[in-house]
Amino acid sequence: METGDNLGVQQAEAALAKENDDVQLVYTSNLLEMVLERGNLKRAYEQVVRNKGSHGIDGMTVAQLKSHLQENWEQTKSQLMTGKYKPSPVRRVEIPKPDGGIRLLGIPTVLDRMLQQAIAQILNGVF
C-alpha cells in the first residue's frame, strides 16, 4: 500500500520502465532501417563530401562516390540488410611527426566513411 509522499511512485516507475523498454525495442528493431533511411544517407553523403579527405585502398575519391552509389547502391544495401557487407581494409599512411617519429593514419574508403557517418548520426540520436 502506498501512502503519503510515495503515493503513485511504484506505478510511475513501472510506467517509465515500460516506456523505456518500448523506446529500446523501437531503436533495436529498426536500427538498420533507420541507418539506411534515404534522408539519413543523404546527410551522411553530404558530410563526407564536405569533409573531403583522401581516397581509401580502392582509389575512389569523394568526387566519384555519387556515381558509384548510383551504380552500386542496390547491391550494397542488399549486403548491408543481409549482414554480408564487409568494410574494406583501411589504407595506411605514415605522417611524419615534428620530433622525427611517424604517426600511422588509417584511411577508410569513401563508401565506408559514408556508412560510418550514417551509423554515427543515428547512434548519436539514440545516446
Side-chain angles (χ1 to χ4, degrees):
M1 180 171 192
E2 300 173 11
T3 60
D5 291 338
N6 292 329
L7 192 57
V9 169
Q10 289 177 345
Q11 286 127 350
E13 287 176 352
L16 185 57
K18 169 121 178 56
E19 182 179 322
N20 286 340
D21 287 346
D22 291 345
V23 168
Q24 179 84 16
L25 183 61
V26 167
Y27 278 127
T28 56
S29 65
N30 295 324
L31 206 51
L32 184 56
E33 288 81 4
M34 293 168 71
V35 167
L36 298 178
E37 186 268 325
R38 185 174 177 85
N40 185 55
L41 290 169
K42 185 174 187 261
R43 287 189 305 277
Y45 169 82
E46 290 167 351
Q47 184 63 46
V48 168
V49 169
R50 263 192 310 274
N51 288 347
K52 299 177 185 169
S54 188
H55 62 85
I57 65 162
D58 61 358
M60 185 191 325
T61 64
V62 172
Q64 296 168 317
L65 179 58
K66 186 174 186 175
S67 64
H68 174 79
L69 290 171
Q70 290 170 339
E71 294 172 18
N72 300 291
W73 177 245
E74 288 305 318
Q75 179 183 359
T76 302
K77 182 178 180 181
S78 175
Q79 290 173 344
L80 288 162
M81 295 295 291
T82 59
K84 294 180 179 170
Y85 180 82
K86 299 281 187 233
S88 298
V90 297
R91 181 169 65 101
R92 294 287 175 199
V93 177
E94 293 181 355
I95 307 294
K97 289 175 144 183
D99 67 0
I102 59 166
R103 181 172 70 99
L104 292 176
L105 181 66
I107 304 174
T109 64
V110 291
L111 176 60
D112 287 343
R113 288 200 308 257
M114 187 193 87
L115 295 173
Q116 291 168 8
Q117 180 66 37
I119 293 166
Q121 288 169 177
I122 296 303
L123 291 181
N124 284 336
V126 171
F127 294 104

